[in-house]
Amino acid sequence: MTAPLKRLYIKTYGCQMNVYDSERMADVLTPLGYGMTDSPVGADLVVLNTCHIREKATEKVYSELGLIKEMKQEKALTGEAMTVVVAGCVAQAEGAEIMRRQPAVDLVVGPQAYHQLPELIARTHRSRGESLAADFAADEKFDALSPDRNPTGVTAFLTVQEGCDKFCTFCVVPYTRGAEWSRPVDTILAEARSLARQGVREVTLLGQNVNAYTGGLANLVRALARIEGLDRIRYMTSHPRDMDEDLIAAHGDIPELMPFLHLPVQSGSDRILKAMNRAHTAESYLKTLERVRAARPDMALSGDFIVGFPGERDSDFEATLDLVRAVGHASAFSFKYSPRPGTPAAALPGQVAEEVKDERLARLNVLLEVQQKAFNAAQVDRTLPVLIEKPGRHPGQLSGRSPYLQAVHCEGPAGLIGQIVPVRITSAARMSLAGTLSPAQAPA
Ligand code: SAH
Ligand code: SF4
Ligand code: F3S
């Protein structure tokens, strides 16, 4: 193989969907002679795959662009060009405004136009003019991407659904990712088979509302579970509204479907949930979890929370804490409400003071941390099937995942990477477990 001629640097922000998209962008650029590099210094092509979800996420992009601009100028001194591309949700939301704010940017490309990247980059190279692609046509994107990928490990993301029609009043995703759209089953299966052939044992099905998958997510999971070599299936993120009986039942019937559910609730106060346009109540959410646990008693539960939504009173926040206490989380993400331009909630009265948000977030995090530690501690002395993913940080150490998505470290030979082996858990921390291989797996 000849060395790549041109150096490509991609920086990914935001959710797993962006991680998947970044991989696919690298895939379409490889045939043009681009090879990945892990630093923007001296790169020929720099892609920032951006996130717009909270103000901080967007600001990070502009400060990174400031640094990139200097590197671009540095490179220009040697007579070479650096092409700077802004992709992802900030690209979709802000479009050409990005180039006005940071003229070092050559090209702005929205999430549905990645298949056009080679052409767009070529055009940019010809004339540093016309350089905006941000319309919604998810079907074209997936038609144009090859089913073959170059997975780098034994786990992989696989996008099956994009976009959102829920319009939670705080959220930019319906505006940056467009309408709910599901990828046809055959292209998903083709991609999954290609991944399995290349040694991938676990796929995580991605979608902004993955359980709104047309044709039923449970049916898709069933079809994927039949693929030889694919032993673990996960999915995220789900909306409580789309948690149908079929999918719940699938958790009881399909052994390949892992017992971990990320089901964001956002708040425990019905008044706030209504203002968020979430279409579920605290009670209906807890009922859903009851049904899930009836199908799969050991289900690990995860969620997202927002504190300080406009109008949130102490009593509303207490209701969130009550809900958290009732659930018992294996993991969770919590955020301070961030007003996003153009979303309905940004214009609501009763915006909550920053100090109040800080205090609520801290209290919520203490509770979630206690729950996460308790969930992990409950695994001690159990033997769990662990998918060994990679070498650990120390020599002789391996790192893998339990069915509940916990990181597990143990000593063992590198030959076990890609295998699912029984590990006896000996200790637990907040973020990971440690254990020992069953004697059959450990070297003599
Ligand atoms: N589709 C997913 C979530 C995508 S965004 C879902 O419905 O669950 C991921 C998380 O970011 C959300 O669950 C929410 O908790 C948080 N989030 C979204 N918009 C936000 C905002 N304006 N301020 C703070 N957190 C926000
Ligand atoms: Fe955003 Fe709500 Fe859609 Fe999730 S369901 S992406 S939070 S609008
Ligand atoms: Fe961010 Fe877009 Fe994902 S806003 S969270 S990168 S869908």
Side-chain angles (χ1 to χ4, degrees), residues 53-54 170 208 237 264 266 304 306 335-336 338 340:
I53 201 82
R54 285 167 291 273
F170 51 81
Q208 269 91 24
T237 296
Q266 315 297 358
D304 289 348
I306 294 177
F335 309 101
K336 286 192 282 179
S338 170
R340 307 307 290 127

Side-chain angles (χ1 to χ4, degrees), residues 56-136:
K56 246 195 218 149
T58 307
E59 283 314 313
K60 266 192 220 158
V61 173
Y62 283 104
S63 67
E64 181 75 17
L65 281 174
L67 300 175
I68 301 277
K69 175 187 138 201
E70 284 172 25
M71 293 174 205
K72 181 172 174 159
Q73 286 168 342
E74 200 71 23
K75 194 156 196 246
L77 291 178
T78 69
E80 286 183 73
M82 174 189 279
T83 303
V84 180
V85 178
V86 175
C89 290
V90 177
Q92 188 65 47
E94 299 190 353
E97 178 59 30
I98 298 169
M99 290 190 254
R100 276 191 287 277
R101 219 175 128 181
Q102 181 46 271
V105 174
D106 297 293
L107 180 65
V108 174
V109 47
Q112 305 313 339
Y114 298 152
H115 55 293
Q116 299 170 19
L117 261 183
E119 183 189 332
L120 293 167
I121 288 169
R123 280 181 191 279
T124 310
H125 286 170
R126 268 176 223 169
S127 66
R128 304 235 155 209
E130 165 210 7
S131 39
L132 184 72
D135 56 351
F136 292 115

Side-chain angles (χ1 to χ4, degrees), residues 13-18 49-54 57 88-90 111 172-173 176-177 208:
Y13 301 81
C15 62
Q16 282 84 356
M17 185 84 62
N18 269 7
N49 193 8
T50 62
C51 175
H52 196 58
I53 201 82
R54 285 167 291 273
C89 290
V90 177
V172 293
V173 171
T176 62
R177 291 279 173 164
Q208 269 91 24

Side-chain angles (χ1 to χ4, degrees), residues 325-340:
R325 288 185 196 105
V327 173
H329 292 80
S331 75
F333 300 93
S334 44
F335 309 101
K336 286 192 282 179
Y337 170 71
S338 170
R340 307 307 290 127

Side-chain angles (χ1 to χ4, degrees), residues 386-402:
V386 172
L387 171 58
I388 305 294
E389 290 177 8
K390 54 187 182 217
R393 228 176 289 151
H394 311 294
Q397 203 188 39
L398 297 172
S399 165
R401 295 261 168 200
S402 77

Side-chain angles (χ1 to χ4, degrees), residues 11-336:
K11 181 155 182 170
T12 309
Y13 301 81
C15 62
Q16 282 84 356
M17 185 84 62
N18 269 7
V19 176
Y20 175 88
D21 281 341
S22 289
E23 271 183 42
R24 302 314 318 255
M25 282 192 261
D27 288 346
V28 297
L29 293 168
T30 307
L32 302 184
Y34 285 101
M36 291 290 274
T37 165
D38 49 17
S39 160
V41 180
D44 301 290
L45 178 59
V46 170
V47 178
L48 300 188
N49 193 8
T50 62
C51 175
H52 196 58
I53 201 82
R54 285 167 291 273
E55 194 181 353
K56 246 195 218 149
T58 307
E59 283 314 313
K60 266 192 220 158
V61 173
Y62 283 104
S63 67
E64 181 75 17
L65 281 174
L67 300 175
I68 301 277
K69 175 187 138 201
E70 284 172 25
M71 293 174 205
K72 181 172 174 159
Q73 286 168 342
E74 200 71 23
K75 194 156 196 246
L77 291 178
T78 69
E80 286 183 73
M82 174 189 279
T83 303
V84 180
V85 178
V86 175
C89 290
V90 177
Q92 188 65 47
E94 299 190 353
E97 178 59 30
I98 298 169
M99 290 190 254
R100 276 191 287 277
R101 219 175 128 181
Q102 181 46 271
V105 174
D106 297 293
L107 180 65
V108 174
V109 47
Q112 305 313 339
Y114 298 152
H115 55 293
Q116 299 170 19
L117 261 183
E119 183 189 332
L120 293 167
I121 288 169
R123 280 181 191 279
T124 310
H125 286 170
R126 268 176 223 169
S127 66
R128 304 235 155 209
E130 165 210 7
S131 39
L132 184 72
D135 56 351
F136 292 115
D139 47 344
E140 280 176 32
K141 165 179 166 181
F142 285 103
D143 281 350
L145 291 172
S146 139
D148 292 317
R149 290 171 56 189
N150 291 306
T152 49
V154 299
T155 64
F157 291 129
L158 177 47
T159 294
V160 305
Q161 183 275 340
E162 276 203 55
C164 182
D165 296 341
K166 304 290 193 287
F167 291 95
C168 301
T169 54
F170 51 81
C171 183
V172 293
V173 171
Y175 311 97
T176 62
R177 291 279 173 164
E180 276 177 17
W181 178 83
S182 297
R183 233 179 127 178
V185 181
D186 49 346
T187 72
I188 297 169
L189 293 178
E191 195 172 317
R193 280 191 210 102
S194 157
L195 289 170
R197 271 197 304 274
Q198 295 179 81
V200 168
R201 302 287 308 269
E202 172 179 308
V203 289
T204 300
L205 310 179
L206 298 180
Q208 269 91 24
N209 282 277
V210 71
N211 57 346
Y213 183 79
T214 313
L217 187 62
N219 291 332
L220 178 64
V221 169
R222 248 176 234 117
L224 286 163
R226 283 195 288 269
I227 293 177
E228 183 68 33
L230 217 57
D231 295 305
R232 289 184 163 192
I233 300 169
R234 305 181 183 276
Y235 60 91
M236 76 184 305
T237 296
S238 305
H239 194 287
R241 204 196 304 191
D242 296 316
M243 209 60 218
D244 63 31
E245 289 308 324
D246 212 18
L247 184 56
I248 292 173
H251 276 284
D253 304 340
I254 305 176
E256 287 84 357
L257 188 55
M258 290 292 101
F260 180 93
L261 177 63
H262 181 68
L263 195 65
V265 63
Q266 315 297 358
S267 168
S269 154
D270 290 344
R271 204 172 65 82
I272 295 297
L273 287 169
K274 189 151 188 260
M276 288 176 162
N277 192 30
R278 286 291 293 182
H280 59 79
T281 61
E283 194 193 336
S284 73
Y285 179 82
L286 291 172
K287 281 249 161 65
T288 302
L289 294 190
E290 241 171 64
R291 280 161 32 226
V292 168
R293 275 181 166 152
R296 182 84 205 221
D298 64 338
M299 185 71 91
L301 296 167
S302 171
D304 289 348
F305 297 87
I306 294 177
V307 300
F309 184 84
E312 186 185 72
R313 302 182 194 130
D314 281 337
S315 55
D316 297 307
F317 176 64
E318 291 299 333
T320 297
L321 295 180
D322 286 342
L323 180 129
V324 171
R325 288 185 196 105
V327 173
H329 292 80
S331 75
F333 300 93
S334 44
F335 309 101
K336 286 192 282 179

